[in-house]
Amino acid sequence: MYNELYIYSIRKDTWTKVDIPGPPPRRCAHQAVVVPQGGGQLWVFGGEFASPDGEQFYHYKDLWVLHLATKTWEQIRSTGGPSGRSGHRMVAWKRQLILFGGFHESTRDYIYYSDVYTFSLDTFLWSKLSPSGSGPTPRSGCLMAVTPQGSIAIYGGYSKQRVKKDVDKGTQHSDMFLLKPEEGGEGKWTWTRINPSGVKPTPRSGFSVAVAPNHQILVFGGVCDEEEEESLEGSFFSDLYIYDAAKSRWFTAQLKGPKSDKRKRRRGKVEEHEGATEQEDGRTGAPEPLEVIKEVVAEDGTVVTIKQVLAPSGLRAPPKAEDSAVEASSTGQEPCPRSNAMLAVKHGLLYVYGGMFEAGDRQVTLSDLYCLDLHKMEEWRTLVEMDPKSQEWLEETDSEEDSSSDEEGAEGGDEDQEEDSSEDSAEEGADPQHPEVAPGEQYEEYLSRTEQYWLKLARNHVGPDAKEKKVLKVAHAMAKTFVDDAVQDIAQAKH
């Protein structure tokens, strides 16, 4: 957990860590809102803290302000505010902060919220609202944004319910509401459920939200958890949706691609993209989503395969829908699928930073940075690349496929030396124990010759209780990485 503050300079294209005395304690899943008052202020509420060993876990209900002009932190102590929570949403509305939802979890139970609070930036007082009408059910991680008409939009989110002892069922919401201030009624609000037209995001949670200069609401990425009896698998997204509040309509954002040499920029399975474009040009039936496969290499040599599902070409905003749509993936610079990224819009550019995705029982934390010109809508531009070797792999402590050797290694046990040597071999691709790649040998030939070796290695790596399907996947990934590294070494040696 961090309580660090970083500032990204758009002009210098650099990140700077800013050390200001007396910051809020370390946390995640909080909310932060910038307002222009007092020369610029950053308001932070709530969130959660968990110690690395899992012994400590709690939710915050504190409120802090960073005065940007003087670069000072201040804790604002005001009674009557929301209870401790994470995953809530908070927006600036006129001279107030408005907060909705979230959840609180303890060792025995959990609760999701649908309450609404306002905080006055003039009086520094909290008030709990009691809107009329039927509002959203309790949830966390939803969209919350102010519309040009002065209402507050709420969309989607996540909640879970206990269906039987020790069994919870998660729900990814896809309903939408407006919280409207009543005319003439100071502090009185009304909930209204709406059903916008157009193509709304597929079910997901952990998506990111920003507001464009034309007041359209942008929704990026997220994850759709597919729950089975004893497992949870997530499909991650990198698509971009636009909600036009004035028209009450959803759009899928389609990128036009760079103006020159659109087709010449080749990467990966370019045939898939060309096939998709042909389908767009001459399709007769309903368009189908396009799957794009990407690979990211882990520290231990595992290749994580990321399946990106691109929405079928449809409505694009703000450009006209008739324009030829070439997916952003054709440039090879788009953000990979992820959840919990950070979004911001500045000078007409949409910035996407970091986030995470899961690979089996691991979480990959990202630190890359991209931007997209919202006026041109041509292609993503990479500002800070994703470096697989610097990614942090966080083991899930409650995973059923926990490997005791992994735990001992993490705690400095007897497995340290073995774990270190395997990591070195994966990074260097030069462990003499691995079967060598013959000159000119293709990956498929190499694998058929050495598969049993890699299966044994993978089984040791993922643990004896892992499913055969996972063992096979890891084995093939490790072999592929070793072959690729060997080929690269040979090429470098020639130069």
Side-chain angles (χ1 to χ4, degrees):
M1 295 281 169
Y2 301 104
N3 62 345
E4 300 171 336
L5 177 69
Y6 283 85
I7 292 178
Y8 177 75
S9 167
I10 294 172
R11 188 169 55 83
K12 296 179 182 177
D13 189 22
T14 54
W15 282 106
T16 305
K17 185 181 177 186
V18 182
D19 292 309
I20 299 174
R26 301 161 182 262
R27 67 191 63 203
C28 70
H30 51 286
Q31 282 286 278
V33 170
V34 174
V35 297
Q37 277 86 341
Q41 298 170 340
L42 175 76
W43 288 84
V44 176
F45 176 83
E48 64 188 54
F49 172 83
S51 59
D53 59 9
E55 291 295 311
Q56 286 182 294
F57 177 83
Y58 44 85
H59 295 271
Y60 291 106
K61 60 176 181 179
D62 51 353
L63 180 66
W64 293 76
V65 58
L66 172 63
H67 300 281
L68 297 171
T70 57
K71 288 191 167 56
T72 53
W73 281 108
E74 180 186 1
Q75 183 174 3
I76 306 299
R77 302 181 188 276
S78 176
T79 58
S83 55
R85 63 188 66 195
S86 313
H88 49 287
R89 292 294 179 256
M90 186 168 74
V91 295
W93 184 86
K94 296 185 177 178
R95 299 182 68 82
Q96 299 178 74
L97 303 177
I98 301 186
L99 184 146
F100 168 79
F103 73 97
H104 183 280
E105 194 159 3
S106 64
T107 50
R108 294 184 179 180
D109 208 358
Y110 55 82
I111 181 172
Y112 282 77
Y113 300 106
S114 59
D115 46 6
V116 185
Y117 286 83
T118 65
F119 178 80
S120 169
L121 296 171
D122 295 320
T123 64
F124 282 19
L125 294 176
W126 283 106
S127 299
K128 185 175 182 179
L129 297 184
S130 301
S132 58
S134 183
T137 54
R139 62 193 63 194
S140 70
C142 59
L143 175 156
M144 184 181 191
V146 179
T147 71
Q149 297 78 24
S151 299
I152 294 170
I154 301 285
Y155 169 77
Y158 177 85
S159 65
K160 61 181 181 180
Q161 291 178 308
R162 187 143 292 160
V163 290
K164 54 185 178 183
K165 190 180 178 184
D166 298 329
V167 178
D168 299 318
K169 179 173 173 55
T171 301
Q172 289 172 121
H173 301 277
S174 57
D175 47 1
M176 193 162 189
F177 297 82
L178 285 181
L179 182 61
K180 297 180 179 180
E182 292 182 10
E183 287 184 26
E186 191 63 36
K188 291 188 176 181
W189 296 72
T190 304
W191 281 116
T192 306
R193 182 166 180 170
I194 60 173
N195 189 20
S197 58
V199 184
K200 69 179 180 181
T202 54
R204 65 188 65 195
S205 56
F207 49 78
S208 312
V209 178
V211 179
N214 61 0
H215 303 294
Q216 290 180 331
I217 299 166
L218 309 172
V219 173
F220 171 81
V223 59
C224 178
D225 289 327
E226 295 152 17
E227 296 186 36
E228 293 179 9
E229 189 72 23
E230 294 183 0
S231 68
L232 184 68
E233 292 228 351
S235 295
F236 289 79
F237 303 100
S238 61
D239 44 5
L240 182 65
Y241 285 84
I242 300 169
Y243 176 67
D244 189 326
K247 298 176 182 175
S248 189
R249 187 175 184 84
W250 282 102
F251 298 87
T252 54
Q254 299 285 354
L255 305 191
K256 293 180 283 188
K259 285 186 177 178
S260 60
D261 298 332
K262 287 182 186 175
R263 300 296 186 109
K264 291 182 181 177
R265 303 187 69 165
R266 305 179 67 86
R267 182 189 65 88
K269 300 186 178 180
V270 74
E271 297 80 21
E272 286 187 339
H273 304 303
E274 289 174 348
T277 309
E278 287 164 16
Q279 183 187 355
E280 287 162 12
D281 291 341
R283 64 175 176 269
T284 53
E288 293 185 3
L290 173 67
E291 284 187 6
V292 179
I293 307 298
K294 309 184 71 165
E295 290 180 341
V296 175
V297 186
E299 291 172 352
D300 59 6
T302 305
V303 177
V304 181
T305 303
I306 312 164
K307 184 173 76 173
Q308 177 180 1
V309 181
L310 297 172
S313 67
L315 300 166
R316 185 192 317 132
K320 293 180 181 177
E322 299 87 49
D323 291 349
S324 163
V326 176
E327 295 293 350
S329 48
S330 63
T331 69
Q333 294 196 16
E334 81 285 1
C336 71
R338 64 191 66 198
S339 69
N340 300 302
M342 285 287 105
L343 251 59
V345 175
K346 187 76 173 174
H347 301 147
L349 298 179
L350 171 65
Y351 290 85
V352 174
Y353 168 78
M356 57 79 64
F357 67 86
E358 292 171 354
D361 55 358
R362 288 173 164 175
Q363 291 184 345
V364 185
T365 307
L366 302 168
S367 61
D368 45 359
L369 181 66
Y370 299 84
C371 73
L372 173 68
D373 188 317
L374 293 172
H375 177 66
K376 294 178 181 176
M377 292 295 283
E378 288 180 357
E379 61 177 337
W380 287 101
R381 192 156 58 90
T382 308
L383 299 172
V384 178
E385 285 192 35
M386 178 168 67
D387 179 7
K389 289 181 180 174
S390 72
Q391 284 165 8
E392 299 177 43
W393 293 80
L394 308 176
E395 292 287 352
E396 290 283 279
T397 53
D398 59 354
S399 166
E400 289 187 10
E401 294 176 356
D402 254 350
S403 165
S404 58
S405 65
D406 280 356
E407 286 183 11
E408 287 172 14
E411 293 166 10
D414 296 335
E415 301 293 325
D416 272 0
Q417 189 176 354
E418 184 181 323
E419 200 162 283
D420 287 345
S421 65
S422 68
E423 282 188 13
D424 290 344
S425 67
E427 285 186 32
E428 315 245 340
D431 192 323
Q433 294 176 347
H434 295 334
E436 288 188 13
V437 181
E441 189 175 30
Q442 297 298 311
Y443 165 68
E444 290 77 11
E445 299 168 328
Y446 175 81
L447 185 64
S448 64
R449 179 169 65 83
T450 62
E451 188 173 37
Q452 291 306 313
Y453 167 83
W454 291 105
L455 283 170
K456 184 179 177 184
L457 199 67
R459 199 167 278 111
N460 291 336
H461 177 72
V462 299
D465 300 326
K467 295 175 183 176
E468 280 304 310
K469 189 177 177 183
K470 178 172 181 179
V471 174
L472 188 69
K473 190 175 180 181
V474 171
H476 288 186
M478 292 172 87
K480 178 93 166 58
T481 303
F482 179 70
V483 171
D484 288 348
D485 286 349
V487 171
Q488 196 173 355
D489 290 343
I490 293 168
Q492 286 175 348
K494 285 181 180 177
H495 289 298

